[in-house]
Amino acid sequence: MTSRSVPLDLPIAGLAGLFAASGTLHLVKPQVFEPLIPSALPAARKVVKVSGVAELVCAAGLLHPRTRRASGLASAALLVGVFPGNVKMSADAGKRAERKRDPKSAAFFAGTLARLPLQWPMIRTALRAGGR
């Protein structure tokens, strides 16, 4: 592959937009994401804020041709890194849905399950932005 940047297209721009929105939410409402942090990691709020900053940096980097390749690879790594938190969120939601047995909890659980396979196209898009 040449050193030329992958052109900015709708999927890459969309991924940048998702990272920008999520990164902002991580910084504005970190308490939403704290339950996703595995208990083995200390300082959940700090982990959430650092990941939010990482998402914002990846978002900005995906938009610029000179940083798109490095940001694409960093974005893929970030998505792989947060995947266990998404699995934990789904497992916790499943337990809550079973305990509460109400439509709202069941719907949230279904949403968390549906979200998991969506990580893969995002990772593929990030890798493509990275020239892979």
Side-chain angles (χ1 to χ4, degrees), residues 4-5 10 16 18 27 32 37 40 44-45 48 50 54 58 65 69 77 81 83 85 89 99 107 113 115 117 121 126:
R4 289 183 50 202
S5 172
L10 188 58
L18 287 172
L27 298 176
V32 170
I37 306 301
R45 174 131 329 172
V48 169
V50 167
C58 286
R69 180 178 298 272
F83 189 73
M89 177 175 64
R99 191 175 62 248
L113 285 176
R115 180 177 181 231

Side-chain angles (χ1 to χ4, degrees), residues 103-120:
K104 186 176 179 181
S105 296
F108 181 74
F109 175 50
T112 65
L113 285 176
R115 180 177 181 231
L116 292 175
L118 295 177
Q119 293 284 122
W120 302 116

Side-chain angles (χ1 to χ4, degrees), residues 13-30 32-33 48 51-60 62-63 115:
L15 182 60
L18 287 172
F19 273 140
S22 180
T24 300
L25 190 57
H26 276 71
L27 298 176
V28 174
K29 294 265 190 199
V32 170
F33 298 94
V48 169
S51 66
V53 170
E55 287 182 337
L56 291 171
V57 168
C58 286
L62 287 169
L63 295 175
R115 180 177 181 231

